[in-house]
Amino acid sequence: MRSYVVYTRVSTEDQGKSGLGLEAQQRDISIYLDKFSEMPYRIIGTFQDIESGGNNDRPELAKALALVRKTGAELLIAKLDRLSRKVSFIAGLMDDPKVKLRVASMPFADKFQLHIYAALAEQERTFISERTKAALKMAKERGKVLGGMRDATMKRNVAIQEKANREAAKLMEIISPLQQAGKTLSEISRTLNNQGIPTSRGGLWTAKQVSRVIERSA
């Protein structure tokens, strides 16, 4: 029987983008399992990080890889950039004989194809970054006033923070009694998920997210 360890990753900025959010990743993984996976199969572990793709020191990814190496299961991800945005990191994992990688959106890709795709994606991101810098430089040289953009961004950020504070206050009405009952952060996150209470982005709760709500309310 084929075994999988499922790994998903979202960052704060990714969660609102089409194709990168948690729901989209779960959809792609479900499509792969239903249409492309060897049958029967089993999922022996599910892990999720809320971290930047540029940070490869992620606790849940480390747990997922440890389980893959221990059991011989395949690491199943929705898209290659959910694993990492750095081709060197991806290449290192593909060279690891104890890590089997499966990308849902590229169900038939082999290691060589995945390596090429990762390299091209990194090259594209570098070009986009340089193009953005060049555009800002040209705007500045033309005398374009950029301060208005910054002011609008600041106002939007304040509104976002105020909304987050209101949501945290409401959530603490549930979290506080659980804290007083001696529940751990992981137990509180499971309770919120079991009650069908979504995060502000519509995803599942983790211990880290619960901790952030508590810190915000304080």
Side-chain angles (χ1 to χ4, degrees), residues 2-40:
R2 185 65 56 91
S3 297
Y4 296 104
V5 173
V6 174
Y7 176 74
T8 55
R9 179 188 65 79
V10 290
S11 65
T12 302
E13 64 179 18
D14 286 339
Q15 291 187 64
K17 295 181 181 178
S18 174
L20 294 177
L22 179 61
E23 184 177 342
Q25 291 178 64
Q26 293 172 335
R27 176 203 62 207
D28 289 355
I29 288 170
S30 295
I31 291 173
Y32 172 81
L33 292 173
D34 291 342
K35 302 296 183 181
F36 299 99
S37 174
E38 177 183 302
M39 297 289 183

Side-chain angles (χ1 to χ4, degrees), residues 48-206:
Q48 177 191 341
D49 276 311
I50 303 179
E51 297 278 355
S52 166
N55 175 22
N56 293 320
D57 186 17
R58 288 171 255 143
E60 296 303 305
L61 175 59
K63 294 176 185 176
L65 290 172
L67 185 57
V68 165
R69 293 183 176 110
K70 179 180 178 181
T71 63
E74 292 187 7
L75 182 67
L76 177 58
I77 56 177
K79 297 175 183 292
L80 198 56
D81 66 358
R82 298 301 87 191
L83 180 60
S84 177
R85 293 185 182 277
K86 295 181 179 179
V87 65
S88 57
F89 182 80
I90 294 172
L93 287 181
M94 288 192 292
D95 285 340
D96 188 333
K98 293 186 178 180
V99 175
K100 299 177 183 177
L101 179 62
R102 184 68 59 183
V103 181
S105 59
M106 296 183 286
F108 302 118
D110 58 25
K111 284 188 175 183
F112 176 76
Q113 290 169 323
L114 291 176
H115 195 146
I116 294 298
Y117 179 85
L120 291 174
E122 185 177 272
Q123 186 179 85
E124 181 183 27
R125 284 191 297 272
T126 300
F127 180 83
I128 291 173
S129 175
E130 293 302 320
R131 184 177 62 191
T132 301
K133 293 177 183 177
L136 290 173
K137 181 180 179 181
M138 290 176 65
K140 186 175 181 180
E141 290 173 349
R142 290 196 304 265
K144 185 175 180 62
V145 179
L146 301 178
M149 296 172 59
R150 290 194 291 269
D151 291 342
T153 299
M154 290 178 65
K155 291 179 180 178
R156 184 172 64 251
N157 289 341
V158 169
I160 291 172
Q161 291 297 320
E162 291 176 348
K163 179 183 178 183
N165 289 336
R166 291 194 299 271
E167 292 178 349
K170 291 181 180 179
L171 287 166
M172 286 306 296
E173 295 177 2
I174 301 173
I175 294 174
S176 290
L178 295 173
Q179 277 187 294
Q180 294 171 7
K183 299 294 185 180
T184 65
L185 294 177
S186 294
E187 290 171 333
I188 293 174
S189 67
R190 284 196 293 270
T191 298
L192 293 173
N193 290 329
N194 291 337
Q195 291 184 5
I197 301 172
T199 65
S200 60
R201 299 290 184 175
L204 296 176
W205 286 94
T206 64

Side-chain angles (χ1 to χ4, degrees), residues 200-214:
S200 60
R201 299 290 184 175
L204 296 176
W205 286 94
T206 64
K208 188 173 183 178
Q209 288 172 298
V210 173
S211 176
R212 287 173 177 168
V213 171
I214 295 172

